[in-house]
Amino acid sequence: MPNLILLPGLACDERIWEAQLPALPSAFGARVSDAQRHNDTIEGMAAAVLRDNDGPLVLCGASMGGMVAMEAARQAPGRIAGLALLGTSARPETPEMFTLREGAIEYFERGELRDVIEPNVYFAFHPAQAADEVLVQRYLDIVLGAGAAQLISQNRAVMRRPDARLHLASVRAPVLLVCGNEDRLAPPECTTEMAAMLPQAQVVWVPDCGHMLTMEKPDLVNAALNGWLAKHFPATAA
């Protein structure tokens, strides 16, 4: 039976999976990786996930976590039983985003986290969810709680991430692609591009949703994950 490993996005932790963990099939014994907290490159995070978890793996990654999952599939294709990629991109960093992240890092190095995070937090959500003050505050607490060192390290990891398009088409395992239809951080075109390289992929578009899928539309995400898992791993569905 494969192990189901959940991979958080940048500056996030197990709290972004709060709605998923109790809803996933217990047979998988799903756990959340913290590799992003102890490694400063996407390649290093992926290697740690492979090292820290035995046997065949189903990797479910959100945003940066999806990048880690794709890199793990490159490093150890024989160990990947399935990939669920949520709100992510196979593309390398663009020059424009590289420059924006460099500017943000300068603020983080001065300890001015809120000056960057608070004005930009709404880009992570669909406008309907951005109006939910409790939800937005939960996300702010997670990101600000990561601290400057993690924000710097993980942003640099994303800035230097490999171009997963060079190997993604070689993935033979089942793949689930989930994207918010109004994701402004990993736009739908990124999911469409990945789907074109992965003919076996199931694609789920989440309506009225931005980048933070697991927090914005947890019931729809849970249904997509559980349906996909039941299809490809029926022995664990019960």
Side-chain angles (χ1 to χ4, degrees):
M1 180 184 302
N3 294 306
L4 177 57
I5 309 300
L6 308 181
L7 309 173
L10 192 152
C12 292
D13 57 28
E14 69 279 355
R15 286 173 286 180
I16 73 160
W17 301 106
E18 281 181 350
Q20 284 68 54
L21 283 167
L24 291 168
S26 59
F28 280 105
R31 62 178 296 270
V32 181
S33 172
D34 65 351
Q36 76 282 1
R37 297 189 61 84
H38 307 292
N39 299 273
D40 58 7
T41 65
I42 298 298
E43 295 91 333
M45 295 173 195
V49 169
L50 294 166
R51 183 177 62 249
D52 295 345
N53 299 282
D54 296 329
L57 304 175
V58 175
L59 300 180
C60 177
S63 191
M64 184 185 75
M67 299 170 188
V68 175
M70 287 184 277
E71 172 60 16
R74 184 193 69 80
Q75 293 183 18
R79 292 191 56 202
I80 304 304
L83 290 176
L85 307 174
L86 283 56
T88 192
S89 172
R91 299 172 178 177
E93 188 74 291
T94 65
E96 294 78 13
M97 281 304 300
F98 192 98
T99 299
L100 285 173
R101 290 187 196 276
E102 285 280 20
I105 285 171
E106 292 180 6
Y107 278 86
F108 299 151
E109 288 175 335
R110 297 196 296 266
E112 299 171 4
L113 280 62
R114 288 186 179 273
D115 291 348
V116 176
I117 304 302
E118 288 187 345
N120 290 290
V121 67
Y122 297 100
F123 287 104
F125 295 95
H126 182 279
Q129 284 77 252
D132 183 337
E133 294 182 3
V134 173
L135 178 65
V136 171
Q137 188 59 54
R138 280 174 54 208
Y139 177 67
L140 275 173
D141 289 344
I142 293 170
V143 176
L144 292 173
Q150 285 294 315
L151 280 163
I152 293 168
S153 175
Q154 292 181 33
N155 268 282
R156 286 184 170 149
V158 170
M159 290 161 69
R160 301 191 300 266
R161 70 184 182 268
D163 186 347
R165 298 173 300 180
L166 300 177
H167 67 83
L168 195 59
S170 67
V171 172
R172 296 291 176 262
V175 177
L176 174 67
L177 301 173
V178 187
C179 182
N181 68 332
E182 295 193 35
D183 189 332
R184 288 182 282 181
L185 300 181
E189 66 190 57
C190 297
T191 291
T192 300
E193 181 179 50
M194 290 188 291
M197 291 183 278
L198 296 163
Q200 78 275 30
Q202 175 184 341
V203 182
V204 175
W205 300 103
V206 182
D208 303 321
C209 187
H211 188 61
M212 297 306 298
L213 291 149
T214 63
M215 298 177 72
E216 291 187 69
K217 298 286 183 176
D219 291 342
L220 293 179
V221 170
N222 292 352
L225 285 171
N226 282 324
W228 177 75
L229 290 168
K231 177 181 179 180
H232 294 287
F233 309 95
T236 65

